[in-house]
Amino acid sequence: MAARQDILDWCDDTLQVTNFSDYAPNGLQVEGCSKVERIVTSVTASFAAIEYAATQQADMLLVHHGMFWRSEPVTITGWKKQRIATLLQHQINMVGYHLPLDAHPKLGNNAQLAKRMGWIVEKQTGEQNLLNIGCLSETQSLTVVAAMLAHELEREPIVVGNNSKEIRKLAWCTGGAQNFFQQAIDEGVDAYITGEISEAQYHLANETGVAFISAGHHATERYGVQALGEAIKSRFGVELYCFDEQNPA
């Protein structure tokens, strides 16, 4: 068992939260009990994740996507009331880390995706170091790269580009980072991987010859919060459980 504040302080320091300008609060979002014995990790603080945390008698739900976003209404009604009421009923601390968890060079979503895929990280660049540049250990066709992603993430990606194109140099940013595509192109990569695609990226990929792979927002961001949870478990000796959903988006 560990003090909630000790865990929060360690996470804030490890993820260097104060270095980021974010559009969601990082850290404690809903306060529960002051001591933590069991933690559940989840990509998103969905009602399903909260119910699972309650079933596990967890003291903390640790997520990447919390519940409070700059563009949303501030009223606590409907689905948001239901989530918060359940957290408060079971005294579950809801803790979220957004951009700091994307960017961390070891625990972050980008780093963890690269680790699972065997990609070599060369540098972090762009807005708040969220864009990663690297390469494959050996050249592969676009078809093979997409198939490897599909196998690892258990989700068929959307691929725009010539399937026989040889891929060596990559750029990637997990989640909804399709707007970094032009910067990836400027870095001279063969392919860009992210979680979502908008209409414009189809044309940009075809016209520049740089392949675009949309591998799923949820799927590409499973692993950072799991790595953070494992690090907390190792540091504080808490019990750890992982909740996942087959979110197709």
Side-chain angles (χ1 to χ4, degrees), residues 30-156:
V30 177
E31 184 177 318
C33 54
S34 62
K35 298 291 185 180
V36 176
E37 183 176 2
R38 296 183 184 92
I39 294 177
V40 167
T41 63
S42 175
V43 174
T44 299
S46 65
F47 186 66
I50 293 168
E51 280 194 311
Y52 177 81
T55 299
Q56 298 300 319
Q57 298 183 312
D59 309 299
M60 180 179 289
L61 176 62
L62 179 67
V63 301
H64 178 51
H65 301 139
M67 288 191 294
F68 303 99
W69 303 92
R70 189 178 298 165
S71 59
E72 288 183 352
V74 297
T75 52
I76 308 300
T77 58
W79 60 268
K80 190 172 286 187
K81 175 193 172 184
Q82 185 181 31
R83 292 185 190 182
I84 293 173
T86 306
L87 288 166
L88 293 176
Q89 178 186 350
H90 296 279
Q91 295 195 67
I92 300 170
N93 296 284
M94 199 278 282
V95 178
Y97 290 99
H98 187 232
L99 296 184
L101 186 55
D102 286 318
H104 193 274
K106 291 185 178 179
L107 302 176
N109 286 316
N110 286 323
Q112 287 295 311
L113 180 61
K115 180 180 179 180
R116 285 181 174 266
M117 295 304 303
W119 299 339
I120 300 165
V121 181
E122 295 176 347
K123 67 176 181 178
Q124 293 177 257
T125 188
E127 179 186 338
Q128 303 188 80
N129 278 334
L130 291 170
L131 182 64
N132 278 229
I133 307 297
C135 64
L136 303 175
S137 58
E138 59 182 35
T139 301
Q140 303 280 5
S141 71
L142 178 58
T143 297
V144 170
V145 174
M148 292 171 68
L149 277 163
H151 175 76
E152 183 63 37
L153 302 183
E154 301 178 341
R155 179 192 188 278
E156 287 296 325

